[in-house]
């Protein structure tokens, strides 16, 4: 995407954000009986006439904002999300919808690049990272139904919505596996396998990130209270955000590849039902009762959040379902303290982070602590301790068939 096209996309995204905020203000102002889709549609049509810069947003994209806003309220009423709120300029992700797939007119230039039409932007080149049903491969059952433009610290990206017809997968015939998640060893399996990763940024990138953070701190120190951020400081912030986004993308890539391999290898993946939100609570305490080891707990919380255990479980849930397998959850207490050889449980069995030594005089087994926990997780599943989901909620939800690609 050229700089001129990027500016057009920015204008459309800010117009879409403004449209959302206007809808939110309209919703709060109207009585309940007048909060209908027809009245909201009439309101945004009038807003597009009265506010000039909203015209840069295509009409179909404005309708997509309207449908998304009403769907957000439905999700709130069903208990799936919080209530919609105001979208701030600096804290919101810039997005633009292209609801009609026929408007894209996608063509493949060669192996790495493709071209797509974006309304009121023009012909844009994007990196071809996934197979798309275009040309002779497109039919009524396999076709592109739309797209969404998303901007992050690395620039604008395009994700295509693809409708495909998939066969019901056959029952997976692979073995069952228990999975223990951690920080030192991200994923330890009950059969002795481990999945590990290094730092997401190279040494050179980490040194550059540290230098940029120090530069930002120096420039921020000279800014007066309430003074607007200078262009140099904002440019430094953008460079920091770019490096962090690169690390985040590498982490997500590792998670996708790892969970895909596990889903293909095993019929049942068993994980702990961890309350991650409770695990990462701050230890700061109150003024009357201050916490202890606050800095150490903060570092642990950052490490837990960085591993994104919840996202790993989410990916495994739909990927195992696609392969004909299942994902099960078991209670988490005592999986790290129980001996998988004799079943004896004691708090002092874990000698170190990596070593487990059974304190039972008749056993004395020792081995890797993470693999021991994974074997206990699998044992709980086989003995019928798998948690049953709440009534009315599915065990596994299949992710939408979205074909992401990077716009350039």
């Amino acid at each position: 995407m050229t700089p001129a096209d990027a500016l057009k996309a920015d204008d459309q995204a800010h117009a879409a954000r403004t449209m959302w905020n206007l809808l939110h203000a309209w919703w709060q102002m109207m009585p309940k009986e007048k909060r209908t889709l027809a009245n909201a549609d009439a309101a945004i049509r009038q807003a597009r006439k009265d506010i000039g810069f909203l015209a840069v947003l295509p009409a179909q994209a404005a309708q997509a904002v309207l449908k998304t806003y009403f769907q957000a309220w439905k999700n709130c009423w069903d208990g799936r999300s919080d209530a919609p709120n105001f979208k701030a300029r600096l804290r919101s992700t810039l997005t633009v919808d292209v609801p009609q797939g026929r408007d894209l007119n996608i063509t493949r230039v060669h192996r790495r690049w493709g071209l797509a039409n974006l309304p009121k932007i023009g012909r844009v080149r994007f990196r071809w990272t996934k197979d798309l049903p275009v040309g002779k491969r497109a039919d009524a059952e396999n076709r592109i139904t739309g797209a969404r433009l998303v901007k992050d610290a690395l620039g604008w990206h395009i994700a295509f919505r693809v409708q495909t017809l998939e066969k019901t997968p056959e029952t997976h015939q692979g073995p069952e596996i228990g999975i223990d998640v951690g920080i030192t060893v991200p994923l330890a399996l009950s059969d002795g396998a481990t999945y590990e990763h290094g730092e997401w940024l190279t040494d050179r990138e980490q040194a550059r990130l540290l230098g940029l953070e120090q530069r930002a701190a120096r420039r921020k120190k000279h800014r007066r209270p309430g003074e607007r951020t200078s262009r140099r400081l904002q440019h430094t912030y953008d460079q920091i955000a770019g490096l962090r986004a690169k690390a985040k993308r590498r982490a997500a890539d590792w998670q996708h590849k790892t969970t895909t391999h596990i889903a293909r290898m095993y019929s049942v993946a068993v994980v702990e039902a961890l309350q991650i939100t409770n695990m990462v609570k701050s230890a700061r305490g109150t003024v009357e009762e201050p916490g202890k080891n606050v800095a150490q707990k903060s570092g642990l919380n950052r490490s837990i959040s960085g591993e994104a255990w919840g996202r790993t479980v989410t990916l495994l849930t739909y990927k195992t379902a696609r392969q004909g397998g299942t994902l099960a959850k078991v209670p988490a207490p005592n999986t790290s303290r129980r001996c998988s050889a004799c079943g004896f449980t004691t708090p002092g069995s874990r000698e170190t982070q990596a070593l487990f030594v059974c304190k039972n005089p008749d056993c004395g087994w020792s081995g890797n602590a993470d693999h021991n926990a994974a074997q206990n997780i699998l044992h709980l599943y086989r003995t019928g301790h798998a948690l049953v989901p709440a009534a009315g909620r599915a065990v596994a939800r299949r992710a939408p068939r979205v074909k992401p690609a990077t716009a350039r």
Side-chain angles (χ1 to χ4, degrees), residues 21-32:
N21 292 336
L22 291 174
L23 275 172
H24 189 57
W26 174 88
W27 180 277
Q28 294 176 323
M29 185 174 54
M30 286 290 108
K32 289 185 178 180

Side-chain angles (χ1 to χ4, degrees), residues 4-5 7-9 11-12 48 52-61 96 98 103 117-124 149:
D5 293 337
L7 287 176
K8 294 179 182 178
D11 293 340
Q12 289 191 13
R48 287 171 59 83
F53 74 91
L54 292 181
V56 301
L57 185 67
Q60 293 178 347
V96 180
V98 183
D103 296 337
N117 283 338
L118 299 180
K120 295 193 175 183
I121 295 179
R123 199 74 170 157
V124 175
L149 297 175

